[in-house]
Amino acid sequence: MKKTLRTLAVGSIALTCVLTSGAGAQAASGHGKKYHGCTNSISVWRTGSKVYAQGKMTCSGSHSVLRPDAALSSYKNGKLQDINIHGEKGCPAAKSCTSKKISLKAHKGWSYHATNPGTADADNVWPINTNASAWYKYR
């Protein structure tokens, strides 16, 4: 219980730092449905001239390998402009794993969509409802 509270406190501090760093910094996050004891989550935020995304997979027990991922795409007036899909990372024998941080150039008025379709063990495809998704609008 003490370890869980400490983890929550550290996560809250990190989120506060993201939300308060830089003028007008904003963030969004989302998570997918639990599957095989694991939950995918994604965070998307802007700092300065870039929009960042990072995925995380958290499991109730250890798995042979966790593969969180991050994909970030930008939209202008509803039309796809750019995409960055190079966030996959593998963590052997783990309960938690964070993907690489990816970014795109920030454009005022554009929307950004981040997803984490992470998987674990020998499963290369998980049900679509396990994908984490979040939208961020740079105002």
Side-chain angles (χ1 to χ4, degrees), residues 44-100:
V44 58
W45 69 96
R46 182 186 63 82
T47 302
S49 64
K50 292 196 178 230
V51 173
Y52 297 93
Q54 191 166 33
K56 183 174 184 177
M57 180 179 276
T58 308
C59 302
S60 56
S62 184
H63 286 260
S64 60
V65 65
L66 300 181
R67 288 181 299 276
D69 202 350
L72 180 62
S73 50
S74 60
Y75 297 83
K76 180 181 178 185
N77 299 323
K79 294 185 180 175
L80 180 65
Q81 299 298 310
D82 199 1
I83 189 164
N84 185 342
I85 56 171
H86 302 289
E88 187 177 47
K89 181 179 178 186
C91 297
K95 285 186 176 183
S96 179
C97 186
T98 303
S99 74
K100 297 174 189 172

Side-chain angles (χ1 to χ4, degrees), residues 2 6 13 25 27 35 41 46 49 53 57 59 61 64 79 90 103 107 119 123-124 126 128 132:
K2 192 174 184 181
R6 186 177 337 141
I13 291 168
Y35 186 68
S41 61
R46 182 186 63 82
S49 64
M57 180 179 276
C59 302
S64 60
K79 294 185 180 175
S103 67
H107 296 277
T119 61
D123 295 339
N124 290 323
W126 277 15
I128 247 183

